[in-house]
Amino acid sequence: MKISFRKLFCYSIPILLTLSSITSAQFKLPAYKVVELKNGLTIYLMEKKDVPLISIAMAFDAGSIKDGASYGTASFTAEALKFGTKSYSKSQIDSLFNFYGSNLSINANKDYTGLFTQIMKDNIETLLPVISEVIIQPTFPNEEIEKRKQRWLAELDLMKESPRRVIGDYFDKLLFGDAIYSNPIKGTQASIQSLDEKTISEFYSLNYRPETSAIAVVGDFNSDEMKSFLEKYFGNWKNNSPKVISDIRFAQKTFEEPRVYLINKDNAFETTFMIGGFGIPMNNPDYIQLDVINTILGGRFTSWLNDELRVNAGLTYGARSRFNPYKHSGSFFFTSFTATKNTEAALELAMKTYNRLFEKGIDEATLNSAKNYVKGQFPPEYETSYSLAGFLLQKFVFGLDDSFINDFEKKVDELDVKKANELVQKYFPKENLQFVLIGKADLIPDIAKKYGRVIERNLSEDGF
């Protein structure tokens, strides 16, 4: 979510920009308008007439950090919006978008829920009122909820068969404890089993509000005409439920000791590991330059971690590292997997490679290579209406401004060796690292103890 700049959220929906989404020719954000409707809904309008296509993206203040103890409610509610409305059944909604060659995607991540669709210009007046009903008049039919619950529970079981799909949830739990960013986006068996129409409706009423939502429209349209459409279909959106004041003040603790979360998987033949600590929030001014540094460590195929663990030692098929920024906090980790018999060697080599950042630092040739790589990864895809709509929502959710894009290349060029090594010392966690190991626990207990106090769980246990 997720998080090198190339993937802003490790476990999130695909609206977020990537470094590979920006062009290298001093790309500047195209002109756009911002309008606020009387009900408080924020609207971004960006005309882009190269193809007869319109991208629509919406953001709602309804991420998993709002779940409370009912994990997975945000994610389930996001899907349930399409289960039926006042005028359309689930099958009718699916059929309409399919008939017009489109798709309506609604998913939750940690900080918010996002809606995305792309519509041919000629079909906008047909599908926009359907989107409006999905957001403003969902009915949450119990029959559809129960059917989806059964599939959801099966999917949770399936996820735990692949440690690489769930290790991030275990890492977040170890890192954030009982704080909001430990909430597993997809929930747990117990929390999903307890969901019902009442819980979903209450979550919707509390968190889907026009004054805390935004819609970005990018593509082939006339702004005045599109504003009129949006006022027609979203201007009457009201939420009369009491407004809950949300004042999130995330206190980032300091770890007093290194810990190892050892998760047993009885039938494992390999060990999957994730190591790290706290990172940065999305609006950190050093974010872009940190991503350049992370490119050296584990953000590309020729990174230090991948070179050492895969290319030189042959211990894994891949190793990577990432800053995973959220709105109020963030994490940093490096991760890989290896055959059980190679667990000790892989961990030692991963730690040795990571510590190279602190012990030897970054030299000029290495930094220049990373800077050129990062700037060279700006393909034309960023100029698509879909990606531009995604960035406009990022502005709304994370409080970013246009300089995040417009000054990108300047910030990369300004990074020198002295500043790079200062950023390493400032932001990359060094003391009391936190470890998650998923594998056959009875074969690696002594290895785990070498790295910190061991906390044991079984992968078959519900939750994280």
Side-chain angles (χ1 to χ4, degrees):
M1 154 108 288
K2 126 146 48 164
I3 167 175
S4 85
F5 200 141
R6 274 166 294 284
K7 191 175 181 183
L8 292 180
F9 285 94
C10 185
Y11 313 105
S12 75
I13 56 183
I15 73 158
L16 300 169
L17 286 184
T18 65
L19 275 183
S20 60
S21 298
I22 309 170
T23 80
S24 58
Q26 293 288 343
F27 178 82
K28 299 295 183 182
L29 205 61
Y32 62 92
K33 296 179 179 179
V34 184
V35 178
E36 184 174 302
L37 299 187
K38 291 181 180 179
N39 60 6
L41 178 66
T42 299
I43 295 174
Y44 297 89
L45 299 171
M46 181 185 287
E47 295 184 22
K48 189 174 186 298
K49 299 180 182 293
D50 50 345
V51 292
L53 188 69
I54 298 174
S55 292
I56 298 175
M58 296 189 73
F60 312 98
D61 188 19
S64 67
I65 62 174
K66 299 291 189 71
D67 278 346
S70 187
Y71 304 141
T73 304
S75 190
F76 200 101
T77 302
E79 283 200 29
L81 291 170
K82 297 195 298 178
F83 288 177
T85 72
K86 180 181 179 181
S87 305
Y88 303 95
S89 67
K90 180 180 183 301
S91 62
Q92 288 174 324
I93 294 169
D94 293 338
S95 296
L96 266 171
F97 278 86
N98 182 65
F99 180 81
Y100 288 105
S102 186
N103 178 56
L104 183 63
S105 173
I106 312 176
N107 295 284
N109 60 39
K110 297 276 190 180
D111 285 304
Y112 65 100
T113 286
L115 174 151
F116 293 90
T117 189
Q118 287 187 309
I119 301 170
M120 294 301 295
K121 175 183 178 180
D122 291 343
N123 302 327
I124 191 70
E125 291 186 66
T126 301
L127 295 180
L128 192 58
V130 183
I131 297 172
S132 172
E133 276 212 24
V134 165
I135 299 306
I136 300 175
Q137 296 179 304
T139 55
F140 305 123
N142 188 65
E143 180 182 1
E144 295 293 345
I145 290 173
E146 290 303 315
K147 286 193 296 185
R148 185 63 183 101
K149 275 175 60 174
Q150 297 312 307
R151 297 197 308 275
W152 200 291
L153 293 169
E155 289 165 7
L156 289 175
D157 279 337
L158 188 62
M159 284 173 60
K160 287 211 171 185
E161 288 300 312
S162 176
R164 272 167 269 172
R165 294 184 64 186
V166 295
I167 193 169
D169 287 314
Y170 284 103
F171 185 73
D172 284 348
K173 183 63 179 176
L174 180 64
L175 205 64
F176 295 109
D178 294 327
I180 53 176
Y181 283 112
S182 72
N183 294 355
I185 294 172
K186 291 295 184 180
T188 66
Q189 291 280 340
S191 65
I192 296 300
Q193 190 67 259
S194 66
L195 283 181
D196 54 22
E197 187 273 336
K198 181 174 182 291
T199 305
I200 293 167
S201 295
E202 288 177 351
F203 183 89
Y204 170 82
S205 295
L206 286 173
N207 299 292
Y208 284 78
R209 316 182 69 94
E211 69 271 21
T212 58
S213 302
I215 180 168
V217 186
V218 181
D220 188 3
F221 59 84
N222 173 275
S223 291
D224 291 336
E225 188 176 78
M226 181 58 68
K227 178 176 177 289
S228 296
F229 284 152
L230 296 175
E231 286 179 327
K232 177 180 179 180
Y233 293 115
F234 290 93
N236 292 327
W237 180 16
K238 296 179 181 179
N239 188 326
N240 296 318
S241 63
K243 186 173 182 179
V244 176
I245 302 300
S246 178
D247 184 18
I248 297 174
R249 300 181 184 182
F250 191 86
Q252 198 152 285
K253 61 185 178 182
T254 300
F255 296 114
E256 297 180 356
E257 60 178 343
R259 296 177 299 166
V260 181
Y261 207 9
L262 180 57
I263 313 300
N264 179 57
K265 186 175 189 293
D266 288 328
N267 61 349
F269 57 85
E270 63 183 21
T271 301
T272 303
F273 60 88
M274 186 172 281
I275 305 165
F278 288 117
I280 57 172
M282 185 64 218
N283 63 359
N284 186 293
D286 294 319
Y287 181 80
I288 291 172
Q289 294 183 339
L290 281 172
D291 189 72
V292 176
I293 300 169
N294 185 65
T295 296
I296 297 169
L297 176 66
R300 59 178 173 176
F301 185 79
T302 56
S303 67
W304 289 353
L305 284 167
N306 205 58
D307 265 355
E308 293 296 337
L309 272 76
R310 172 179 170 148
V311 179
N312 297 336
L315 293 171
T316 183
Y317 285 111
R320 60 189 174 92
S321 61
R322 174 176 296 158
F323 279 94
N324 204 22
Y326 302 128
K327 185 173 182 178
H328 306 285
S329 185
S331 64
F332 167 81
F333 61 82
F334 53 102
T335 183
S336 189
F337 57 95
T338 191
T340 303
K341 64 180 181 179
N342 295 327
T343 300
E344 186 169 18
L347 285 170
E348 287 181 353
L349 186 54
M351 289 297 297
K352 179 181 178 181
T353 304
Y354 180 59
N355 285 327
R356 182 175 163 188
L357 275 177
F358 308 100
E359 295 168 359
K360 295 185 177 181
I362 297 170
D363 59 49
E364 188 168 357
T366 302
L367 180 60
N368 286 337
S369 172
K371 289 164 67 173
N372 289 334
Y373 173 84
V374 165
K375 291 192 293 184
Q377 289 293 301
F378 304 164
E381 283 85 355
Y382 179 68
E383 295 179 318
T384 65
S385 60
Y386 184 85
S387 296
L388 289 166
F391 177 70
L392 293 174
L393 287 195
Q394 286 185 41
K395 284 174 57 65
F396 178 79
V397 173
F398 298 112
L400 306 179
D401 58 41
D402 293 353
S403 65
F404 191 83
I405 296 300
N406 294 341
D407 294 342
F408 167 78
E409 190 164 344
K410 177 184 176 183
K411 289 182 180 179
V412 173
D413 287 336
E414 287 176 346
L415 181 63
D416 57 23
V417 170
K418 181 176 182 293
K419 177 69 177 298
N421 287 306
E422 288 174 351
L423 292 178
V424 166
Q425 298 295 329
K426 182 176 181 180
Y427 290 111
F428 284 77
K430 183 179 181 182
E431 304 297 330
N432 297 326
L433 291 174
Q434 305 296 296
F435 296 71
V436 176
L437 309 181
I438 302 180
K440 201 164 179 58
D442 60 355
L443 297 182
I444 56 174
D446 293 335
I447 298 171
K449 290 176 185 176
K450 290 174 59 177
Y451 293 99
R453 178 169 63 87
V454 177
I455 306 166
E456 294 191 51
R457 284 202 67 179
N458 201 300
L459 195 69
S460 61
E461 296 177 59
D462 191 22
F464 301 95

